[in-house]
Amino acid sequence: MQGILTRRVFSRKISLCSQRCFSQLAQKTASLQENDVTVPKMPPFDYSPPPYNGPTVDEIMAKRKAYLSPSLYHLYKKPVNVVDGKRQYLFDDEGRRYLDGFGGIATVGCGHCHPDVVEAIVNQTKRLQHSTVLYLNSAIADFAEALASKLPDNLNVVLFTNSGTEANELALMMAKLYTGSHDIISLRNGYHGNAAGTMGATGQSVWKYNVVQSGTHHALNPDPYRGVFGSDGEKYAKDVQDLIEYGTSGNVAAFVSETIQGVGGIVELAPGYLPPVYSSIKKAGGLCIADEVQAGFARTGSHFWSFEAQGVTPDIVTMAKGIGNGIPLGAVVTTPEIAKVLTRRNFFNTFGGNPVCTAAGLAVLRVIEKENLQENAHVVGSYLKDRLTALKNKYEIIGDVRGRGFMLGVELVTDRQLKTPAKAETLHVLDQMKELGVLIGKGGIYSNVFRITPPLCFTKEDADFLVDAMDYSVSKM
């Protein structure tokens, strides 16, 4: 009995301490008056979803527990049952509308259920859902041509896959075959997939199982906020040269990186980093792989591909997510010379490049161009970042605001000097924003970074609502 009482008292102390910590963080805000922050209102939207008559949240949760992998988890204390979507909005089983600030993890670019994309999928499905690439079909060829036109001239051979993991896995294998070397250099904090080679290239322990992952060397992450050299890209690049000289035979197969790390917490590589790194890799006989799975397809606004911001041209580009607006589709784009390595044996992908997915991909490219979504990502994304930066100046708990376009990160810390991750506070604000009608993601090695990757049709009114919801949630901690 005494033990139970002790645990209850201890539990109450922890609860009170947690409450005080949240209160103290709010008090650190410069001249904050809670009454000045009003409950934000969602912008109007002319759409109401049809009535939902499906299973309840409890019924779905029961089936997930019974039939799906225990590794699956969900966000929020009360999970959201998403049953409908339109443009930048999602709707739950009760018809409540949410502003989608996560875009299905940087996947929905054109907006949910865009009529042009839906029409392309439905029309192709009615005519021919699947055959095989052993037969001719215009859908795969038309999309490959359109996709190649968005890349530098020498990158014009496209290999289709079903996901980003598959695309990165294929790219790594091609680099090893082409160079005859086996060492891969990637970055700490990067994420490239969950198969054998891509898990090895990933630089976060939380995504790496205890299986053989040999032959990968992880360089210092050129993180302007937490990195040892701040924003000095050339100093970080020296570490790659050191890895080549001290950790390999002097020859490498490839260097692979995201230009803006998505899962890693929206970390944009330090300026001037990639040019000297690519130079070192080339001298060591290796290929340079740009992972555009999350940051590609106009998401960054300033460029169609994020690697362009660093002024480099990779040998291989991998992509997925935004390529199909939610359709399972990925791709590897490379040069004719590198692509020839796959002719040494038989290479085949049953579903890669199937008519329905490639029809959707072509429709996505056309929508991005027709609706000028890259420009919108640049203009509205810059406006959103400015507003988030103003919020950082208001609250001590916001340690950093970073990224570009519609790939933005907001990192929460309990101490700006020590940059102590504010894990509990991040979960709290995430949950409170959901209650206000805003869905965003979280990431980073410490799970203390808000990932803001909305559909590219996001408006300034949406941006205001998202920031106002964050402002209100932080002010009430």
Side-chain angles (χ1 to χ4, degrees), residues 23-47:
S23 177
Q24 287 166 3
L25 283 168
Q27 288 170 10
K28 286 183 180 180
T29 300
S31 64
L32 171 65
Q33 294 180 358
E34 289 190 8
N35 292 333
D36 291 342
V37 185
T38 59
V39 179
K41 293 183 179 180
M42 189 179 296
F45 189 64
D46 188 21
Y47 175 77

PDB file of all heavy atoms in Angstrom, residues 23-47:
ATOM      1  N   SER A  23       4.487  25.999 -18.445  1.00  0.00           N
ATOM      2  CA  SER A  23       4.174  27.368 -18.038  1.00  0.00           C
ATOM      3  C   SER A  23       5.396  28.263 -18.136  1.00  0.00           C
ATOM      4  O   SER A  23       5.331  29.401 -18.610  1.00  0.00           O
ATOM      5  CB  SER A  23       3.638  27.370 -16.601  1.00  0.00           C
ATOM      6  OG  SER A  23       3.398  28.675 -16.160  1.00  0.00           O
ATOM      7  N   GLN A  24       6.550  27.732 -17.701  1.00  0.00           N
ATOM      8  CA  GLN A  24       7.778  28.529 -17.737  1.00  0.00           C
ATOM      9  C   GLN A  24       8.182  28.855 -19.168  1.00  0.00           C
ATOM     10  O   GLN A  24       8.651  29.957 -19.462  1.00  0.00           O
ATOM     11  CB  GLN A  24       8.902  27.747 -17.046  1.00  0.00           C
ATOM     12  CG  GLN A  24       8.732  27.698 -15.522  1.00  0.00           C
ATOM     13  CD  GLN A  24       9.636  26.661 -14.885  1.00  0.00           C
ATOM     14  OE1 GLN A  24      10.422  26.022 -15.564  1.00  0.00           O
ATOM     15  NE2 GLN A  24       9.504  26.488 -13.585  1.00  0.00           N
ATOM     16  N   LEU A  25       7.978  27.897 -20.072  1.00  0.00           N
ATOM     17  CA  LEU A  25       8.317  28.155 -21.464  1.00  0.00           C
ATOM     18  C   LEU A  25       7.453  29.258 -22.043  1.00  0.00           C
ATOM     19  O   LEU A  25       7.917  30.107 -22.791  1.00  0.00           O
ATOM     20  CB  LEU A  25       8.127  26.874 -22.287  1.00  0.00           C
ATOM     21  CG  LEU A  25       9.236  25.836 -22.131  1.00  0.00           C
ATOM     22  CD1 LEU A  25       8.802  24.519 -22.740  1.00  0.00           C
ATOM     23  CD2 LEU A  25      10.509  26.325 -22.785  1.00  0.00           C
ATOM     24  N   ALA A  26       6.194  29.247 -21.678  1.00  0.00           N
ATOM     25  CA  ALA A  26       5.299  30.295 -22.162  1.00  0.00           C
ATOM     26  C   ALA A  26       5.709  31.646 -21.590  1.00  0.00           C
ATOM     27  O   ALA A  26       5.643  32.671 -22.253  1.00  0.00           O
ATOM     28  CB  ALA A  26       3.858  29.973 -21.793  1.00  0.00           C
ATOM     29  N   GLN A  27       6.162  31.634 -20.324  1.00  0.00           N
ATOM     30  CA  GLN A  27       6.537  32.889 -19.677  1.00  0.00           C
ATOM     31  C   GLN A  27       7.796  33.494 -20.281  1.00  0.00           C
ATOM     32  O   GLN A  27       8.044  34.691 -20.153  1.00  0.00           O
ATOM     33  CB  GLN A  27       6.742  32.645 -18.178  1.00  0.00           C
ATOM     34  CG  GLN A  27       5.428  32.394 -17.422  1.00  0.00           C
ATOM     35  CD  GLN A  27       5.667  31.911 -16.011  1.00  0.00           C
ATOM     36  OE1 GLN A  27       6.794  31.941 -15.527  1.00  0.00           O
ATOM     37  NE2 GLN A  27       4.614  31.475 -15.352  1.00  0.00           N
ATOM     38  N   LYS A  28       8.603  32.664 -20.942  1.00  0.00           N
ATOM     39  CA  LYS A  28       9.824  33.186 -21.564  1.00  0.00           C
ATOM     40  C   LYS A  28       9.519  34.093 -22.749  1.00  0.00           C
ATOM     41  O   LYS A  28      10.367  34.823 -23.229  1.00  0.00           O
ATOM     42  CB  LYS A  28      10.711  32.023 -22.043  1.00  0.00           C
ATOM     43  CG  LYS A  28      11.427  31.294 -20.908  1.00  0.00           C
ATOM     44  CD  LYS A  28      12.315  30.224 -21.482  1.00  0.00           C
ATOM     45  CE  LYS A  28      13.053  29.463 -20.386  1.00  0.00           C
ATOM     46  NZ  LYS A  28      13.915  28.409 -20.940  1.00  0.00           N
ATOM     47  N   THR A  29       8.284  33.993 -23.245  1.00  0.00           N
ATOM     48  CA  THR A  29       7.899  34.805 -24.392  1.00  0.00           C
ATOM     49  C   THR A  29       7.947  36.284 -24.047  1.00  0.00           C
ATOM     50  O   THR A  29       7.482  36.710 -23.006  1.00  0.00           O
ATOM     51  CB  THR A  29       6.467  34.435 -24.819  1.00  0.00           C
ATOM     52  OG1 THR A  29       6.463  33.055 -25.167  1.00  0.00           O
ATOM     53  CG2 THR A  29       6.033  35.259 -26.017  1.00  0.00           C
ATOM     54  N   ALA A  30       8.522  37.048 -24.975  1.00  0.00           N
ATOM     55  CA  ALA A  30       8.648  38.481 -24.745  1.00  0.00           C
ATOM     56  C   ALA A  30       7.278  39.139 -24.656  1.00  0.00           C
ATOM     57  O   ALA A  30       6.520  39.121 -25.625  1.00  0.00           O
ATOM     58  CB  ALA A  30       9.468  39.103 -25.873  1.00  0.00           C
ATOM     59  N   SER A  31       6.988  39.713 -23.502  1.00  0.00           N
ATOM     60  CA  SER A  31       5.762  40.468 -23.233  1.00  0.00           C
ATOM     61  C   SER A  31       4.509  39.810 -23.810  1.00  0.00           C
ATOM     62  O   SER A  31       3.692  40.449 -24.469  1.00  0.00           O
ATOM     63  CB  SER A  31       5.878  41.893 -23.807  1.00  0.00           C
ATOM     64  OG  SER A  31       5.985  41.842 -25.209  1.00  0.00           O
ATOM     65  N   LEU A  32       4.389  38.482 -23.619  1.00  0.00           N
ATOM     66  CA  LEU A  32       3.229  37.773 -24.136  1.00  0.00           C
ATOM     67  C   LEU A  32       2.024  37.984 -23.231  1.00  0.00           C
ATOM     68  O   LEU A  32       2.111  37.829 -22.021  1.00  0.00           O
ATOM     69  CB  LEU A  32       3.534  36.268 -24.230  1.00  0.00           C
ATOM     70  CG  LEU A  32       2.340  35.363 -24.546  1.00  0.00           C
ATOM     71  CD1 LEU A  32       1.821  35.672 -25.957  1.00  0.00           C
ATOM     72  CD2 LEU A  32       2.722  33.903 -24.426  1.00  0.00           C
ATOM     73  N   GLN A  33       0.904  38.307 -23.830  1.00  0.00           N
ATOM     74  CA  GLN A  33      -0.353  38.381 -23.108  1.00  0.00           C
ATOM     75  C   GLN A  33      -1.309  37.424 -23.793  1.00  0.00           C
ATOM     76  O   GLN A  33      -1.698  37.611 -24.940  1.00  0.00           O
ATOM     77  CB  GLN A  33      -0.918  39.809 -23.140  1.00  0.00           C
ATOM     78  CG  GLN A  33      -0.046  40.812 -22.390  1.00  0.00           C
ATOM     79  CD  GLN A  33      -0.646  42.202 -22.440  1.00  0.00           C
ATOM     80  OE1 GLN A  33      -1.672  42.427 -23.061  1.00  0.00           O
ATOM     81  NE2 GLN A  33       0.000  43.123 -21.757  1.00  0.00           N
ATOM     82  N   GLU A  34      -1.723  36.369 -23.094  1.00  0.00           N
ATOM     83  CA  GLU A  34      -2.519  35.320 -23.704  1.00  0.00           C
ATOM     84  C   GLU A  34      -3.822  35.848 -24.288  1.00  0.00           C
ATOM     85  O   GLU A  34      -4.309  35.371 -25.296  1.00  0.00           O
ATOM     86  CB  GLU A  34      -2.800  34.224 -22.676  1.00  0.00           C
ATOM     87  CG  GLU A  34      -1.570  33.411 -22.320  1.00  0.00           C
ATOM     88  CD  GLU A  34      -1.918  32.195 -21.486  1.00  0.00           C
ATOM     89  OE1 GLU A  34      -3.106  31.916 -21.332  1.00  0.00           O
ATOM     90  OE2 GLU A  34      -0.992  31.543 -21.008  1.00  0.00           O
ATOM     91  N   ASN A  35      -4.392  36.820 -23.662  1.00  0.00           N
ATOM     92  CA  ASN A  35      -5.678  37.324 -24.134  1.00  0.00           C
ATOM     93  C   ASN A  35      -5.571  38.005 -25.497  1.00  0.00           C
ATOM     94  O   ASN A  35      -6.561  38.223 -26.173  1.00  0.00           O
ATOM     95  CB  ASN A  35      -6.271  38.300 -23.114  1.00  0.00           C
ATOM     96  CG  ASN A  35      -6.672  37.595 -21.827  1.00  0.00           C
ATOM     97  OD1 ASN A  35      -6.977  36.405 -21.849  1.00  0.00           O
ATOM     98  ND2 ASN A  35      -6.662  38.311 -20.711  1.00  0.00           N
ATOM     99  N   ASP A  36      -4.334  38.359 -25.893  1.00  0.00           N
ATOM    100  CA  ASP A  36      -4.142  39.021 -27.178  1.00  0.00           C
ATOM    101  C   ASP A  36      -4.209  38.035 -28.339  1.00  0.00           C
ATOM    102  O   ASP A  36      -4.328  38.424 -29.491  1.00  0.00           O
ATOM    103  CB  ASP A  36      -2.788  39.741 -27.204  1.00  0.00           C
ATOM    104  CG  ASP A  36      -2.770  40.948 -26.273  1.00  0.00           C
ATOM    105  OD1 ASP A  36      -3.862  41.400 -25.911  1.00  0.00           O
ATOM    106  OD2 ASP A  36      -1.669  41.407 -25.925  1.00  0.00           O
ATOM    107  N   VAL A  37      -4.100  36.723 -28.037  1.00  0.00           N
ATOM    108  CA  VAL A  37      -4.110  35.707 -29.071  1.00  0.00           C
ATOM    109  C   VAL A  37      -5.505  35.103 -29.156  1.00  0.00           C
ATOM    110  O   VAL A  37      -5.941  34.404 -28.261  1.00  0.00           O
ATOM    111  CB  VAL A  37      -3.065  34.602 -28.779  1.00  0.00           C
ATOM    112  CG1 VAL A  37      -3.007  33.610 -29.931  1.00  0.00           C
ATOM    113  CG2 VAL A  37      -1.697  35.218 -28.540  1.00  0.00           C
ATOM    114  N   THR A  38      -6.210  35.391 -30.213  1.00  0.00           N
ATOM    115  CA  THR A  38      -7.575  34.905 -30.371  1.00  0.00           C
ATOM    116  C   THR A  38      -7.599  33.566 -31.098  1.00  0.00           C
ATOM    117  O   THR A  38      -6.650  33.212 -31.808  1.00  0.00           O
ATOM    118  CB  THR A  38      -8.414  35.916 -31.163  1.00  0.00           C
ATOM    119  OG1 THR A  38      -7.806  36.110 -32.442  1.00  0.00           O
ATOM    120  CG2 THR A  38      -8.498  37.247 -30.434  1.00  0.00           C
ATOM    121  N   VAL A  39      -8.682  32.828 -30.921  1.00  0.00           N
ATOM    122  CA  VAL A  39      -8.830  31.543 -31.592  1.00  0.00           C
ATOM    123  C   VAL A  39      -8.919  31.781 -33.101  1.00  0.00           C
ATOM    124  O   VAL A  39      -9.797  32.507 -33.567  1.00  0.00           O
ATOM    125  CB  VAL A  39     -10.086  30.807 -31.097  1.00  0.00           C
ATOM    126  CG1 VAL A  39     -10.236  29.476 -31.838  1.00  0.00           C
ATOM    127  CG2 VAL A  39     -10.016  30.572 -29.596  1.00  0.00           C
ATOM    128  N   PRO A  40      -8.009  31.206 -33.878  1.00  0.00           N
ATOM    129  CA  PRO A  40      -8.010  31.463 -35.333  1.00  0.00           C
ATOM    130  C   PRO A  40      -9.184  30.784 -36.033  1.00  0.00           C
ATOM    131  O   PRO A  40      -9.698  29.758 -35.562  1.00  0.00           O
ATOM    132  CB  PRO A  40      -6.679  30.868 -35.792  1.00  0.00           C
ATOM    133  CG  PRO A  40      -6.358  29.825 -34.782  1.00  0.00           C
ATOM    134  CD  PRO A  40      -6.901  30.319 -33.472  1.00  0.00           C
ATOM    135  N   LYS A  41      -9.590  31.373 -37.149  1.00  0.00           N
ATOM    136  CA  LYS A  41     -10.691  30.825 -37.933  1.00  0.00           C
ATOM    137  C   LYS A  41     -10.171  30.314 -39.274  1.00  0.00           C
ATOM    138  O   LYS A  41      -9.398  30.981 -39.954  1.00  0.00           O
ATOM    139  CB  LYS A  41     -11.765  31.889 -38.160  1.00  0.00           C
ATOM    140  CG  LYS A  41     -12.498  32.306 -36.894  1.00  0.00           C
ATOM    141  CD  LYS A  41     -13.602  33.309 -37.208  1.00  0.00           C
ATOM    142  CE  LYS A  41     -14.355  33.705 -35.936  1.00  0.00           C
ATOM    143  NZ  LYS A  41     -15.441  34.698 -36.230  1.00  0.00           N
ATOM    144  N   MET A  42     -10.647  29.134 -39.651  1.00  0.00           N
ATOM    145  CA  MET A  42     -10.230  28.528 -40.909  1.00  0.00           C
ATOM    146  C   MET A  42     -10.826  29.293 -42.092  1.00  0.00           C
ATOM    147  O   MET A  42     -11.975  29.725 -42.040  1.00  0.00           O
ATOM    148  CB  MET A  42     -10.679  27.065 -40.953  1.00  0.00           C
ATOM    149  CG  MET A  42     -10.126  26.275 -42.125  1.00  0.00           C
ATOM    150  SD  MET A  42     -10.657  24.532 -42.117  1.00  0.00           S
ATOM    151  CE  MET A  42      -9.883  23.944 -40.605  1.00  0.00           C
ATOM    152  N   PRO A  43     -10.056  29.471 -43.171  1.00  0.00           N
ATOM    153  CA  PRO A  43     -10.588  30.152 -44.355  1.00  0.00           C
ATOM    154  C   PRO A  43     -11.800  29.410 -44.923  1.00  0.00           C
ATOM    155  O   PRO A  43     -11.892  28.180 -44.796  1.00  0.00           O
ATOM    156  CB  PRO A  43      -9.417  30.117 -45.340  1.00  0.00           C
ATOM    157  CG  PRO A  43      -8.202  29.928 -44.487  1.00  0.00           C
ATOM    158  CD  PRO A  43      -8.639  29.106 -43.331  1.00  0.00           C
ATOM    159  N   PRO A  44     -12.723  30.117 -45.542  1.00  0.00           N
ATOM    160  CA  PRO A  44     -13.891  29.449 -46.136  1.00  0.00           C
ATOM    161  C   PRO A  44     -13.484  28.571 -47.309  1.00  0.00           C
ATOM    162  O   PRO A  44     -12.469  28.821 -47.967  1.00  0.00           O
ATOM    163  CB  PRO A  44     -14.771  30.620 -46.586  1.00  0.00           C
ATOM    164  CG  PRO A  44     -13.826  31.764 -46.762  1.00  0.00           C
ATOM    165  CD  PRO A  44     -12.761  31.589 -45.727  1.00  0.00           C
ATOM    166  N   PHE A  45     -14.291  27.542 -47.579  1.00  0.00           N
ATOM    167  CA  PHE A  45     -14.001  26.612 -48.670  1.00  0.00           C
ATOM    168  C   PHE A  45     -15.310  26.037 -49.181  1.00  0.00           C
ATOM    169  O   PHE A  45     -16.116  25.516 -48.408  1.00  0.00           O
ATOM    170  CB  PHE A  45     -13.065  25.498 -48.182  1.00  0.00           C
ATOM    171  CG  PHE A  45     -12.538  24.601 -49.270  1.00  0.00           C
ATOM    172  CD1 PHE A  45     -11.722  25.112 -50.263  1.00  0.00           C
ATOM    173  CD2 PHE A  45     -12.846  23.250 -49.291  1.00  0.00           C
ATOM    174  CE1 PHE A  45     -11.214  24.293 -51.264  1.00  0.00           C
ATOM    175  CE2 PHE A  45     -12.352  22.417 -50.279  1.00  0.00           C
ATOM    176  CZ  PHE A  45     -11.527  22.939 -51.271  1.00  0.00           C
ATOM    177  N   ASP A  46     -15.517  26.119 -50.471  1.00  0.00           N
ATOM    178  CA  ASP A  46     -16.799  25.745 -51.065  1.00  0.00           C
ATOM    179  C   ASP A  46     -16.840  24.262 -51.426  1.00  0.00           C
ATOM    180  O   ASP A  46     -16.823  23.890 -52.607  1.00  0.00           O
ATOM    181  CB  ASP A  46     -17.068  26.616 -52.302  1.00  0.00           C
ATOM    182  CG  ASP A  46     -18.475  26.404 -52.860  1.00  0.00           C
ATOM    183  OD1 ASP A  46     -19.334  25.918 -52.096  1.00  0.00           O
ATOM    184  OD2 ASP A  46     -18.696  26.707 -54.050  1.00  0.00           O
ATOM    185  N   TYR A  47     -16.861  23.419 -50.417  1.00  0.00           N
ATOM    186  CA  TYR A  47     -17.009  21.974 -50.650  1.00  0.00           C
ATOM    187  C   TYR A  47     -17.462  21.306 -49.367  1.00  0.00           C
ATOM    188  O   TYR A  47     -16.941  21.599 -48.283  1.00  0.00           O
ATOM    189  CB  TYR A  47     -15.686  21.355 -51.109  1.00  0.00           C
ATOM    190  CG  TYR A  47     -15.749  19.847 -51.236  1.00  0.00           C
ATOM    191  CD1 TYR A  47     -16.362  19.248 -52.324  1.00  0.00           C
ATOM    192  CD2 TYR A  47     -15.206  19.026 -50.244  1.00  0.00           C
ATOM    193  CE1 TYR A  47     -16.435  17.863 -52.434  1.00  0.00           C
ATOM    194  CE2 TYR A  47     -15.265  17.650 -50.343  1.00  0.00           C
ATOM    195  CZ  TYR A  47     -15.880  17.063 -51.446  1.00  0.00           C
ATOM    196  OH  TYR A  47     -15.954  15.694 -51.551  1.00  0.00           O
TER     197      TYR A  47
END
